[in-house]
RNA sequence: GCCGGAGUGGCGGAACUGGUAGACGCACGGGACUCAAAAUCCCGCGGGGGCGACUCCGUGUGAGUUCGAUUCUCACCUCCGGCACCA
């Protein structure tokens, strides 16, 4: 595996440059050997010095905005990043060579909890930790040779960035798009802090191990549900998005048509409003369930003999982790409130329960329970022995309430439903709501699974919410001229992870902008998804100081033409970004609704796992030559292929790969091993293969460069060429066509690369020493070799840049124009026609292209092998696909 | 449970709109070069049968449509992903 014993891999680009130059002076043969470490740093430096990746908006010039999801600065890039950014870089470089003005930026999603955790664990500060990580990761990305315009780099934790989302938040507040409401958070009493869902382990705090309870806090919400309908509608107008992602978004929005129906409470003024998608089953509603958090629960049970039982139940549910309520094993249970409500359809007295499966966040928090036609209600009814009434009878069947094993949810005719009996239940859905609406007891509504977006985080490392709480004036936004509300970067983190902002007097204490008296700042910070919902717009004018972005720059660059990232963001990040874009449009800041025209979700990077029965997962170096665990000698089992992760010990460190093989080999393997949307299975031997291929290309160029360095690429008539030059020239143009299609239409770089490999193989059959030393040979080979270098350059830019110069070029290969295939060079004059008999392949023959059908039939029947299968059976029919196939049916 | 996606050699993967299944690469086997090895180059490589020309089978399973199906339809099996008491 050690390929470059003489090379010190960690040297910075300038050092490497000097070392390489030194070696060149020593020995000329060094140049003929492919040594990525000698060339990659040099070209990276060159690209940077020449400012080749810098871009400016040029109105009127066709633009292409290529964006990869920016990373969280965890400290190290991993193979997932390498793959994601390599795919993006190929497209960026390709589009640029194809003549577009390409925006290809990179930055950092720099706020978030890991920084706080790391800060506590390592006794450092989130800001310092973050900025150091950014520096380290930037260096890694630069080593991979990505074509980013680094002058547009941004980090969301910078006040110059988040000041504008604070500004936007205030505008949204003024328009009622941001509002405050009580909501529950996971709360650890011991640590006095909120916990994210992933910090709750089996209902206990991850740090202190004490039970987590649900605490009600006033928090800020954004009215994303106002856009639910539009977000859903436009899912069908995003043809450039994967169907899978759109389906996930649609499901997440979860639109349900139904009605709100009002139930009067017996012996009280109160009314309970339910949401139902099945108003047709109203006559079958036999009891009512309220969410434990429903305000009427305490109110109605007060004074009944059930009051204590209800209170105890509500308290017990509050203690349960919210995610636990979604578990499959979670048993439905409830408590009778001691009160009844009246079914508006038939006057039936329905007992009211509070039940753990009723969710306060959905619909109205109240459910009319129809056990005959809803499985959940049926389970509950059987458990508490509540009446079951069948109101929808399926065709040709007679359901009996007492014998009902499972709820019937299909269509049918109405029964037990008064005036509606005999009607189709679908028709009744509308009719019954219309009838009740006349009495003011119902209205048709639409409900969404999507909830408003809670953005308050009781965390330190985030953008402060720019609001002031004044004892006299209430909640007041920070005046715009006082923005940004800067997060104090020198605050000490408190034990247990509690945000220090609340205790930081100089941050909290302020004056009310309205009355001038003492007031307190909001000490919550914003969800980090807020930052990532508009960073793509900021990239268009990252240093702009008069607003979120320069309208002219955004008008030129946006929307993003191609967005690339992991499928794990298929819902939240992408939905929030789409929502934010709609908000910006409402404010007239942008002229479009959808930020990302095309989306590519790349697959995960996976690798085989190894485990020892005694020691669990093993790193490759923990296994000896015999395939046994080095610690106990037990044979290691080869586990399944899984996503690379530290815990599975199947990670590959990009740095080691760069040291050993260089950026081009790393990139090439990532592109070649699988098409981008599929999972990539890592293979050390595959990497070796990629490296071998680059060596072949290198040797190919050096073998010919003496002859073709000063030759012009052939561009004459095909007819002037004899074999094998003619075939080579045709192959060259076929390859241009295939590679262009594979990149342009599908991003299938694996097949693009294999096409170039075929061309390289064909070139390999000619030998620079033996081939006739005429100018025509040199010209055709020049065209082929040049094509190889140009076509590969978006994928493996360093080696191609080097070889491009070796071929005598003086400008960057990035500035070469993408080659065009010559249609006339693709025309073949002889085709292979296959012959089938009854659909089975029986023979083949060569024929001039464009041979007439009748002639092809004659030729097919003349084939001896074919004749033996046809025999003396009568030919019933012959199907001819011109230039391809003849099928004889006997 | 509901909704998606995918099952092709020893392996990763090709096959564009129904028309030569297995491109390209990896692994493996054989050969050349070498004192030897590495590197490189050449040849072979889905399975069964046959000395052989050949032949039969083969794209998860079973049906169907078709002259012809990896590709379209239906059912089933397996794996992966998303949602999961949403009323």
């Amino acid at each position: 595996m050690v390929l470059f014993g003489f090379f010190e891999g960690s040297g910075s680009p300038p050092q490497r440059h000097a070392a390489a130059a030194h070696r060149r002076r020593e020995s000329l043969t060094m140049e003929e050997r492919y040594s990525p470490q000698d060339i990659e740093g040099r070209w990276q430096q060159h690209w940077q010095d020449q400012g080749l990746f810098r871009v400016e908006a040029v109105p009127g010039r066709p633009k292409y905005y290529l964006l990869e999801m920016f990373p969280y600065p965890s400290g190290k890039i991993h193979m997932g990043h390498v793959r994601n950014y390599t795919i993006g870089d190929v497209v960026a470089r390709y589009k640029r060579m194809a003549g577009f003005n390409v925006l290809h930026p990179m930055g950092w999603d720099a706020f978030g909890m890991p920084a706080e955790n790391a800060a506590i664990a390592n006794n450092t500060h989130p800001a310092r930790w973050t900025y150091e990580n950014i520096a380290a990761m930037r260096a890694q990305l630069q080593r991979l040779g990505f074509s980013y315009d680094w002058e547009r780099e941004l980090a969301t934790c910078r006040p110059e960035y988040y000041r504008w989302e604070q500004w936007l938040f205030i505008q949204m507040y003024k328009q009622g798009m941001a509002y405050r409401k009580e909501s529950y958070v996971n709360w650890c009493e011991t640590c006095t802090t909120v916990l994210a869902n992933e910090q709750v382990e089996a209902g206990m705090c991850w740090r202190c191990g004490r039970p987590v309870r649900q605490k009600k806090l006033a928090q800020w919400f954004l009215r994303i549900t106002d856009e639910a309908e539009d977000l859903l509608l436009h899912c069908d107008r995003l043809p450039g998005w994967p169907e899978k992602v759109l389906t996930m978004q649609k499901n997440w929005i979860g639109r349900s048509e139904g009605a709100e129906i009002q139930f009067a409470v017996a012996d009280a003024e109160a009314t309970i409003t339910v949401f139902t998608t099945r108003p047709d089953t109203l006559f079958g509603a036999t009891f009512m369930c309220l969410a434990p958090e429903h305000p009427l629960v305490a109110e109605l049970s007060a004074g009944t003999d059930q009051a204590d039982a209800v209170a105890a139940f509500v308290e017990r549910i509050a203690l349960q982790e919210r995610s636990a309520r979604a578990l499959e094993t979670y048993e439905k249970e409830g408590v009778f409130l001691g009160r009844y409500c009246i079914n508006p359809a038939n006057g039936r007295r329905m007992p009211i329960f509070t039940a753990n499966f009723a969710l306060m966040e959905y619909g109205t928090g109240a459910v009319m329970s129809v056990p005959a036609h809803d499985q959940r209600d049926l389970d509950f009814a059987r458990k508490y022995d509540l009446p079951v009434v069948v109101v929808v009878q399926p065709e040709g069947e007679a359901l009996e309430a007492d014998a009902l094993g499972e709820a019937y949810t299909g269509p049918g005719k109405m029964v037990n439903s008064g005036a509606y009996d005999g009607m189709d239940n679908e028709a009744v859905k509308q009719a019954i709501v219309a009838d009740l609406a006349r009495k003011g007891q119902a209205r048709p509504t639409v409900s969404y699974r999507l909830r408003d977006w809670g953005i308050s985080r009781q965390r330190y490392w985030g953008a402060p919410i720019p609001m002031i709480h004044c004892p006299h004036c209430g909640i007041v936004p920070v005046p715009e001229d006082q923005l940004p509300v800067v997060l104090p970067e020198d605050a000490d983190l408190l034990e247990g992870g509690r945000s220090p902002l609340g205790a930081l007097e100089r941050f909290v204490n302020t004056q009310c902008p309205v009355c001038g008296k003492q007031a307190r700042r909001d000490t919550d910070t914003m969800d980090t998804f807020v930052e990532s919902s508009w960073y793509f717009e900021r990239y268009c004018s990252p240093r702009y100081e008069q607003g979120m972005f320069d309208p002219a720059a955004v008008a030129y660059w946006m929307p993003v033409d191609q967005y690339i990232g992991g499928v794990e963001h298929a819902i939240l990040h992408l939905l929030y970004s789409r929502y934010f874009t709609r908000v910006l449009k409402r404010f007239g800041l942008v002229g479009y609704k959808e930020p990302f025209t095309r989306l590519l979700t790349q697959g995960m990077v996976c690798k085989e796992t190894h485990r020892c029965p005694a020691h669990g997962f093993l790193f490759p170096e923990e296994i000896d030559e015999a395939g046994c665990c080095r610690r106990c000698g037990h044979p290691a089992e080869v586990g399944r292929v899984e996503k690379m992760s530290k815990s599975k010990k199947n990670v590959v460190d990009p740095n080691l790969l760069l040291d050993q093989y260089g950026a081009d080999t790393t990139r090439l393997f990532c592109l070649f091993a699988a098409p981008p949307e599929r999972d990539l299975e890592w293979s050390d031997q595959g990497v070796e293969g990629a490296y071998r291929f680059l060596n072949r290309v290198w040797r190919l160029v050096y073998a010919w460069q003496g002859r073709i360095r000063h030759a012009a690429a052939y561009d004459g008539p095909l007819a002037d060429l004899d074999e094998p030059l003619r075939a080579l020239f045709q192959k060259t143009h076929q390859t241009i066509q295939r590679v262009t299609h594979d990149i342009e239409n599908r991003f299938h770089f694996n097949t693009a690369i294999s096409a170039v490999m075929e061309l390289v193989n064909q070139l390999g059959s000619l030998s620079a020493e033996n081939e006739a030393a005429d100018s025509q040979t040199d010209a055709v080979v020049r065209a082929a070799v040049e094509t190889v270098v140009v076509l590969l350059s978006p994928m493996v830019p360093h080696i191609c840049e080097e070889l491009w110069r070796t071929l005598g070029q003086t400008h960057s290969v990035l500035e070469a124009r993408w080659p065009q295939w010559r249609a006339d060079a693709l025309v073949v004059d002889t085709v292979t026609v296959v012959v089938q008999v009854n659909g089975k392949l029986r023979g083949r023959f060569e024929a001039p292209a464009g041979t007439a059908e009748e002639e092809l039939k004659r030729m097919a029947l003349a084939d001896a092998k074919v004749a033996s299968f046809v025999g003396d059976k009568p030919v019933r029919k012959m199907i001819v696909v011109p230039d391809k196939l003849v099928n004889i049916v006997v």
Side-chain angles (χ1 to χ4, degrees), chain A residues 229 232 250-251 253-257 362 446-449:
Chain A
E229 193 65 46
L232 184 68
K250 286 181 200 168
N251 291 343
I253 295 168
R255 183 182 198 274
S256 302
E257 276 185 36
Y362 185 75
V446 176
S447 199
Y448 299 91
R449 212 191 73 100

Side-chain angles (χ1 to χ4, degrees), chain A residues 814-862:
Chain A
L814 193 66
E815 293 175 292
R817 71 166 215 292
W818 190 257
Q820 293 279 311
W821 67 89
R822 258 174 53 182
D824 66 295
L826 298 178
V827 175
V828 285
D829 35 34
T830 313
V831 291
T832 304
V833 177
V834 299
V835 188
Q836 296 179 334
V837 179
N838 286 345
K840 291 199 175 188
L841 180 66
R842 295 305 181 191
R844 64 187 67 192
F845 60 86
E846 300 288 313
T851 304
E853 290 197 16
E854 289 309 313
E855 180 65 9
L856 286 176
K857 287 182 184 174
R858 201 188 53 74
M859 292 170 86
L861 288 169

Side-chain angles (χ1 to χ4, degrees), chain A residues 69 84 245 564-570 573-574 599-603:
Chain A
M69 291 180 184
N84 187 175
V245 173
I564 306 175
V567 73
E568 64 272 20
H569 293 113
H573 163 57
L574 292 169
L599 173 71
L600 173 70
T601 49
Q602 99 268 4

Side-chain angles (χ1 to χ4, degrees), chain A residues 176-177 179 181 220-228 361 448-455 576 579:
Chain A
M177 297 174 183
Y179 66 98
K181 139 183 131 173
W220 290 100
F221 286 82
L222 302 184
R223 282 195 207 280
I224 189 171
T225 50
D226 280 358
E227 300 289 345
E361 303 86 36
Y448 299 91
R449 212 191 73 100
L450 180 71
R451 313 283 149 81
D452 273 342
W453 178 11
I455 58 151
Y576 291 148
Y579 165 60

Side-chain angles (χ1 to χ4, degrees), chain A residues 72-107:
Chain A
Y72 178 79
S74 58
K76 269 188 180 179
I77 59 166
H78 51 67
M79 274 303 162
H81 293 127
V82 174
R83 186 179 191 204
N84 187 175
Y85 302 151
T86 298
I87 292 165
D89 199 46
V90 176
V91 179
R93 286 173 178 266
Y94 164 75
K95 283 289 177 183
R96 173 170 175 162
M97 293 172 80
F100 289 90
N101 193 22
V102 176
L103 176 57
H104 187 211
M106 181 45 70

